[in-house]
Amino acid sequence: MVIDKELLDELTSHAKQNPRLRQAYDLRNSINDKSQRMLNALEPGTVLPIHRHKATSEVTSVIRGRVRQNMYDDKGNLTETFIASADGFPNFYVTPMGMWHNTECLESGTVIFEAKDGAYAPLNAEDMMSLS
């Protein structure tokens, strides 16, 4: 499989039409593949809540566009923030296992690659943080 401009444009088109302003594309070889590898097309305004992955780190690469990556401590205090972009550095980063984080899309047409260990499982309430 080649990840080309046509695929990225199609994902972006779907993200713009999706009420959540994002669209995932599964890159696993089969449903028996117990890893998580996906493209995620993001549009500004999409809400990616502060969350953590207790059983895996998360590897992210910005393929197109720009995002702000935010890291938090257990009390919800922002401990680190940086902008990652496809045309600059960093454009690839690792969020450690158990680290509270969220991603903000800064540019229309943004597409990221994400990889995590283990089969996909929805986040539990205990793995999402509300600052209100």
Side-chain angles (χ1 to χ4, degrees):
M1 168 182 224
V2 175
I3 309 300
D4 58 14
K5 184 179 182 311
E6 184 177 331
L7 175 59
L8 299 182
D9 289 346
E10 181 179 339
L11 282 174
T12 292
S13 176
H14 288 293
K16 288 178 178 180
Q17 295 171 24
N18 187 324
R20 296 173 66 204
L21 295 173
R22 63 182 185 263
Q23 183 66 49
Y25 186 84
D26 190 354
L27 292 171
R28 295 174 304 153
N29 298 319
S30 75
I31 60 171
N32 297 322
D33 183 341
K34 299 302 180 198
S35 67
Q36 295 176 63
R37 293 188 309 271
M38 69 178 192
L39 297 175
N40 202 349
L42 309 171
E43 285 298 307
T46 189
V47 176
L48 297 163
I50 299 170
H51 64 284
R52 65 183 174 185
H53 307 285
K54 290 193 289 189
T56 182
S57 59
E58 181 174 39
V59 176
T60 305
S61 180
V62 182
I63 296 172
R64 184 164 78 177
R66 290 184 317 130
V67 299
R68 176 178 289 115
Q69 184 68 14
N70 301 309
M71 309 292 191
Y72 302 85
D73 65 18
D74 289 335
K75 295 180 181 177
N77 298 307
L78 184 66
T79 59
E80 181 179 3
T81 186
F82 58 88
I83 293 175
S85 68
D87 61 356
F89 289 98
N91 56 15
F92 182 92
Y93 54 93
V94 178
T95 303
M97 179 172 45
M99 172 67 69
W100 292 101
H101 65 284
N102 76 329
T103 304
E104 298 173 56
C105 178
L106 301 175
E107 188 175 299
S108 183
T110 294
V111 179
I112 60 175
F113 167 79
E114 297 178 67
K116 298 184 225 40
D117 295 329
Y120 171 78
L123 291 171
N124 297 318
E126 69 185 37
D127 295 319
M128 290 189 286
M129 181 185 290
S130 175
L131 295 179
S132 52

